[in-house]
Amino acid sequence: MVKPMEGIFCANFSNSILGYASCQKVWHAQCYECLGTSCDLKFPIKEMKDEDDNPWYKQQEKEYRINHGVAGAHLSMPFLCEWCWMRILETRSPQPGRDDTLVACIRRVNLDAMTGKSEYTIKGHLGRTKRILTFNAKYGKTPTFEPRGPLPPMDLVGMGVALDMMLYSLEAVGRNEDVVQYETLRQIRSTATRNYDSSPNGVTEMACFSVGKGRVRPTRCPTQSEFFSLFGKGCEYRMGSESKANKEVSIRVIVELLRRVKQDIADTEYLPEKNELIKFGAFITMCTAASLRGCEGFLADLAGLVRHLDRGRRGVIPAKLKDNFDEDVAESLPHVVIALLGKVKGETGEDTHQIALANTTQSGIKVRWWIEELVRVGLAEGRRSGPAFAYPNGKLASSSEYNAMFLSYLGEIQEQTELIEDKIEVNEAFGISRTLRKTAQSRATRAGISAANQAKMNRWRTVENAKGKKPNFEMRDLYAGVLGQMPVTWRYSYAL
């Protein structure tokens, strides 16, 4: 028997909803457990291990917390039992055999919501509630707490969407693991929220007001409820997040890769292959020196490269170069201007972007040589405009092909040198998407480039140069802004 103020009570306890018999569901905390095993369902739990593949010493404690309820949880969150939820969502009581999976998923959602709130917070709230009620009884005062139920017979907290996420996690297969990651499940919430916002109910709530830098919009969208937020936190804690984002390599690996590309260019006699190797080498060089993500590298504009190719060709580095040199000094430095044309992350439209880079980096990467070769190949193919990294017919080059070439060269370097550790899985750890940018960031940090200047280098925008106003300059007018940014862009690239 569960005593009052103990265990976990359904909010509809002793109440009838939708014409069904009154709910009598209540559990001891240790009895409210995950039903996955009894239904032959495997809800994923992230297993923590050390470097020797041994389970974390608190793994069992963590799994018990995830798979069992907490006494008094119904006082800290809107808790409904599986039977009540089935009657609300499916307008029927759960049927053994037919609805076992749905019941188990509802149980899992409730447990994740309990996991999303600290066990100490739940127990602390329970303890304070009991003390207040004790004092009320002692002095004959009517409790001021709101009734715990019954709750309205509708889904106001997003249980239906949470069930969609649970069912998806049981069926889908992840890219990095046998199961999908929580980040993938979050997309289901985003889809549901957008559906609500564009519905008749959502449209009537679209007005918003500003608070500081953000926007606030009152809404009844179930996926924005406190319960759904707790469920999301608990679900992420249970499943973990096994992200395998691209890792960096040392700048020596990039130097060695470019050396091998140049050697292959010299060895091949087939002109189309030679030209594609030049484009690939220039892509690696540009993304590294300019700290670009792979997708941004493909925005390189051939017309912009041609227009400014002669600028900075014969520059000289003075014996003493001040940190904040002026435009005259900038123009006299050895540099090459790269031009990007398109929509860059963080902006609202397409625009022209130019960055001045050092002709040669301190590690020996010959940025200008590769850019000049890229331009020469483009002109030889009869192209003077359009994407710089393109096939002879002008069609944008394939990022997957460049990525495959990148991984192939890294595989050779790992096999034939000691620059990449043997234990690293090249195909999983690296990629043109972010490896080149992360490599540049790491090298810049070791070279003493300040975090502020790194942030500026990685957030360059023509809009910033215009001080918040959307510029509408011709390409020749943008060069003055390029010179003004060189204390950041040139120093950054030169340090690589």
Side-chain angles (χ1 to χ4, degrees):
M1 180 178 178
V2 182
K3 297 179 181 180
M5 299 301 297
E6 301 289 347
I8 305 171
F9 286 74
C10 176
N12 292 333
F13 185 76
S14 293
N15 288 282
S16 173
I17 63 169
L18 301 174
Y20 293 95
S22 62
C23 178
Q24 300 295 319
K25 299 300 179 182
V26 59
W27 293 265
H28 291 290
Q30 66 271 22
C31 297
Y32 193 76
E33 57 184 349
C34 180
L35 301 175
T37 302
S38 62
C39 298
D40 197 26
L41 300 175
K42 185 177 182 181
F43 295 105
I45 295 178
K46 176 64 178 178
E47 185 177 7
M48 301 292 291
K49 294 183 178 181
D50 62 19
E51 293 187 0
D52 293 329
D53 207 36
N54 299 310
W56 181 41
Y57 75 100
K58 287 189 175 181
Q59 182 65 27
Q60 288 185 336
E61 179 181 332
K62 172 185 176 180
E63 292 188 11
Y64 185 90
R65 169 71 177 91
I66 288 172
N67 287 327
H68 293 81
V70 180
H74 61 287
L75 298 177
S76 299
M77 54 179 275
F79 173 78
L80 287 179
C81 69
E82 296 77 28
W83 281 261
C84 287
W85 271 124
M86 283 294 297
R87 291 165 180 169
I88 292 172
L89 298 175
E90 304 299 329
T91 64
R92 68 173 188 268
S93 297
Q95 301 176 15
R98 175 185 177 183
D99 296 321
D100 289 352
T101 297
L102 285 179
V103 169
C105 287
I106 295 173
R107 176 70 61 90
R108 182 66 268 169
V109 171
N110 278 336
L111 288 171
D112 283 345
M114 294 181 194
T115 305
K117 189 178 285 289
S118 167
E119 181 177 4
Y120 300 105
T121 299
I122 294 174
K123 290 182 176 179
H125 179 68
L126 171 62
R128 287 189 296 274
T129 301
K130 291 169 69 174
R131 285 196 295 274
I132 292 173
L133 292 177
T134 299
F135 297 152
N136 287 169
K138 179 178 179 179
Y139 294 102
K141 178 184 178 296
T142 301
T144 53
F145 292 130
E146 289 291 324
R148 301 307 306 163
L151 293 180
M154 61 186 70
D155 185 6
L156 298 176
V157 298
M159 175 59 77
V161 178
L163 286 180
D164 290 336
M165 295 170 66
M166 288 297 98
L167 294 173
Y168 191 92
S169 72
L170 294 175
E171 294 289 335
V173 178
R175 289 187 300 175
N176 299 326
E177 300 288 337
D178 293 336
V179 297
V180 295
Q181 301 298 302
Y182 175 72
E183 290 300 315
T184 302
L185 295 184
R186 285 182 60 184
Q187 298 173 13
I188 297 176
R189 175 187 182 179
S190 299
T191 300
T193 302
R194 290 190 181 94
N195 284 337
Y196 179 89
D197 288 343
S198 59
S199 71
N201 286 336
V203 169
T204 60
E205 300 173 351
M206 292 305 287
C208 63
F209 57 90
S210 296
V211 177
K213 295 183 179 180
R215 296 191 307 164
V216 175
R217 176 168 64 88
T219 180
R220 294 174 64 90
C221 179
T223 56
Q224 304 293 354
S225 68
E226 176 68 14
F227 177 90
F228 202 94
S229 176
L230 292 175
F231 157 70
K233 293 177 181 178
C235 186
E236 184 175 16
Y237 177 73
R238 170 172 59 85
M239 299 181 66
S241 182
E242 189 67 22
S243 174
K244 292 191 177 181
N246 294 162
K247 295 179 172 59
E248 67 185 69
V249 294
S250 74
I251 200 69
R252 292 187 300 162
V253 171
I254 301 299
V255 172
E256 174 63 16
L257 184 149
L258 292 173
R259 184 194 70 78
R260 289 170 180 258
V261 174
K262 290 183 71 171
Q263 186 62 52
D264 289 343
I265 293 171
D267 290 344
T268 184
E269 298 180 358
Y270 184 52
L271 184 59
E273 181 181 355
K274 188 186 295 285
N275 288 345
E276 293 307 314
L277 285 170
I278 289 173
K279 296 173 191 175
F280 170 72
F283 179 87
I284 299 300
T285 298
M286 181 182 296
C287 288
T288 303
S291 190
L292 300 177
R293 297 176 302 152
C295 59
E296 293 171 344
F298 286 103
L299 300 179
D301 178 57
L302 185 56
L305 296 180
V306 172
R307 177 183 288 273
H308 294 296
L309 191 60
D310 289 334
R311 297 184 185 273
R313 186 192 301 276
R314 298 176 182 82
V316 177
I317 303 175
K320 293 183 178 180
L321 183 62
K322 296 180 180 179
D323 289 339
N324 294 313
F325 48 81
D326 58 26
E327 283 82 353
D328 291 335
V329 174
E331 195 166 13
S332 69
L333 291 173
H335 65 276
V336 60
V337 178
I338 67 168
L340 308 181
L341 182 61
K343 186 177 185 299
V344 180
K345 184 177 182 181
E347 296 192 355
T348 57
E350 288 73 22
D351 214 327
T352 299
H353 312 270
Q354 297 175 0
I355 310 174
L357 306 174
N359 280 350
T360 304
T361 72
Q362 288 186 319
S363 63
I365 299 176
K366 300 184 181 300
V367 182
R368 171 169 284 279
W369 185 89
W370 283 105
I371 299 302
E372 289 184 343
E373 283 295 289
L374 175 65
V375 170
R376 181 187 64 77
V377 169
L379 296 177
E381 292 177 343
R383 298 183 294 112
R384 293 191 63 87
S385 62
F389 299 107
Y391 298 116
N393 62 4
K395 182 180 178 182
L396 185 67
S398 168
S399 62
S400 60
E401 289 183 7
Y402 277 29
N403 192 61
M405 294 172 67
F406 182 58
L407 296 177
S408 177
Y409 275 107
L410 291 184
E412 291 181 6
I413 293 172
Q414 183 185 49
E415 182 179 347
Q416 299 171 12
T417 73
E418 296 182 354
L419 295 176
I420 300 176
E421 296 181 58
D422 292 337
K423 67 180 182 180
I424 294 178
E425 292 289 340
V426 168
N427 290 343
E428 295 183 2
F430 308 122
I432 61 171
S433 177
R434 284 182 170 81
T435 290
L436 301 173
R437 180 171 182 170
K438 288 185 176 180
T439 297
Q441 291 173 327
S442 177
R443 172 76 174 186
T445 299
R446 289 195 292 271
I449 302 297
S450 68
N453 281 342
Q454 288 193 50
K456 290 179 181 179
M457 183 66 179
N458 293 322
R459 287 170 47 240
W460 48 264
R461 299 176 188 171
T462 311
V463 174
E464 290 176 351
N465 295 340
K467 297 182 180 180
K469 298 178 181 179
K470 190 65 176 177
N472 187 22
F473 303 145
E474 293 186 12
M475 191 171 290
R476 63 176 179 272
D477 298 322
L478 292 169
Y479 184 59
V482 172
L483 295 177
Q485 292 296 313
M486 280 182 63
V488 173
T489 62
W490 188 91
R491 281 190 177 279
Y492 188 102
S493 57
Y494 181 66
L496 302 180

